């Protein structure tokens, strides 16, 4: 079975622009979660989607949004980019919500904001 | 709010020896899950081991085992027979166990170096 894939792997943007990151979960997985990883803040939970519905959201401003499609693929959007948004963005998929199912992580998208 | 603390920013161990990574957490929840994730230099996060809070028996996965002390809110990871491939950042993580969406909280990580 193919693992979680994320595209693009690397991205360079300038302040004020917007960006869309994509995550394709493992086949059959219906839950997709997003995380931001930075040296200063560590790993932080952004949000989780299950069956096209956002189930939970971390403590991030409204510039961070996401969605999930009927095939469980998910996109994350960041508008009006700031320098502090430079980070590794990880997505993880699982069969269901909650902790009953193991989360499998993708390789991440490295976003650099100049 | 839940918090996860890993008091050892960096550790090293000789190949084939045993090392224990510490993790403590704070929560008022009674039902939750605890995890150890490994992030090698390649950056792909990999689940090492998982523990359900309602289970008293400590989880074990091959060379990896945990010491789960629920009352003390402690969840340490023991790596036996350390291998060079174990070199990585190790993150302890907490997750509430409810069906209203997960909210993962990660610790700051411990950088483990296995020395030849």
């Amino acid at each position: 079975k193919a693992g979680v894939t994320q595209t693009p792997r690397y991205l360079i943007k300038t302040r004020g622009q917007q960006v869309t990151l994509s995550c394709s979960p493992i086949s059959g997985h219906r839950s997709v979660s997003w995380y931001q990883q930075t040296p200063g803040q560590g790993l932080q939970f952004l949000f989780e989607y299950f069956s096209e519905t956002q189930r939970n959201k971390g403590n991030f401003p409204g510039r961070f949004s996401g969605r999930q499609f009927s095939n469980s693929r998910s996109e994350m959007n960041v508008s009006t980019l700031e320098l502090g948004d430079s980070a590794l963005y990880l997505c993880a998929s699982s069969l269901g919500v909650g902790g009953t199912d193991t989360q499998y992580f993708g390789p991440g998208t490295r976003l650099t904001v100049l | 709010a839940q918090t996860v603390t890993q008091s050892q920013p960096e550790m090293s161990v000789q190949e084939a020896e045993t090392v224990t990574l510490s993790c403590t957490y704070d929560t008022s929840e009674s039902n939750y899950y605890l995890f150890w994730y490994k992030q090698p230099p390649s950056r792909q996060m990999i689940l090492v081991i998982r523990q359900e809070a309602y289970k008293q028996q400590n989880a074990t996965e091959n060379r990896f085992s945990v010491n789960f002390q629920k009352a003390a809110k402690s969840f340490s990871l023991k790596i036996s027979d350390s291998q060079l491939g174990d070199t990585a950042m190790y993150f302890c993580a907490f997750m509430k166990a409810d069906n209203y969406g997960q909210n993962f909280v990660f610790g700051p990580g411990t950088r483990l170096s296995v020395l030849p």
Side-chain angles (χ1 to χ4, degrees):
Chain A
K1 221 181 230 189
V4 178
T5 57
Q6 291 186 246
T7 56
R9 293 292 310 278
Y10 301 91
L11 205 49
I12 299 175
K13 292 285 187 180
T14 56
R15 278 182 299 174
Q17 288 187 309
Q18 77 165 23
V19 66
T20 299
L21 312 182
S22 180
C23 172
S24 293
I26 291 172
S27 177
H29 285 193
R30 295 170 65 192
S31 172
V32 173
S33 298
W34 289 90
Y35 302 86
Q36 181 195 64
Q37 186 176 25
T38 60
Q41 300 296 318
L43 270 159
Q44 294 183 283
F45 170 73
L46 279 156
F47 30 64
E48 179 189 27
Y49 286 87
F50 180 80
S51 293
E52 302 178 67
T53 301
Q54 187 179 89
R55 299 299 298 268
N56 207 346
K57 191 175 191 298
N59 189 24
F60 277 82
R63 299 186 298 106
F64 291 81
S65 64
R67 59 177 176 168
Q68 187 180 35
F69 302 95
S70 58
N71 62 357
S72 293
R73 189 177 70 85
S74 177
E75 287 182 348
M76 191 193 90
N77 185 276
V78 188
S79 62
T80 319
L81 284 166
E82 301 177 358
L83 294 179
D85 297 334
S86 293
L88 181 69
Y89 290 88
L90 295 168
C91 125
S93 76
S94 61
L95 280 170
V97 293
T100 54
D101 300 307
T102 299
Q103 284 200 321
Y104 295 87
F105 283 79
T109 293
R110 168 75 60 188
L111 171 65
T112 301
V113 182
L114 303 176
Chain B
Q2 284 70 229
T3 59
V4 177
T5 302
Q6 293 177 250
S7 59
Q8 306 148 314
E10 290 190 34
M11 293 189 73
S12 62
V13 63
Q14 292 293 135
E15 199 175 2
E17 293 188 347
T18 296
V19 64
T20 299
L21 309 183
S22 301
C23 172
T24 58
Y25 59 95
D26 188 26
T27 184
S28 57
E29 303 283 334
S30 58
N31 198 13
Y32 50 86
Y33 299 88
L34 295 164
F35 306 83
W36 278 98
Y37 278 89
K38 166 184 174 180
Q39 190 176 40
S42 67
R43 306 297 267 178
Q44 183 112 21
M45 292 275 284
I46 303 164
L47 176 67
V48 174
I49 203 163
R50 174 171 168 269
Q51 174 83 42
E52 291 92 338
Y54 63 85
K55 289 187 178 177
Q56 293 193 348
Q57 186 173 6
N58 290 323
T60 299
E61 285 288 343
N62 301 316
R63 299 181 295 106
F64 300 89
S65 62
V66 297
N67 183 2
F68 174 47
Q69 302 289 329
K70 191 172 184 179
K73 296 180 182 174
S74 169
F75 183 61
S76 60
L77 174 70
K78 185 172 85 170
I79 306 174
S80 305
D81 185 27
S82 297
Q83 301 176 359
L84 296 178
D86 296 333
T87 292
M89 279 290 285
Y90 285 81
F91 293 96
C92 176
F94 169 99
M95 185 166 71
K96 293 189 302 177
D98 60 45
N99 289 324
Y100 297 98
Q102 55 100 330
N103 193 336
F104 245 92
V105 178
F106 285 87
T110 295
R111 184 176 303 279
L112 176 67
S113 298
V114 180
L115 308 173

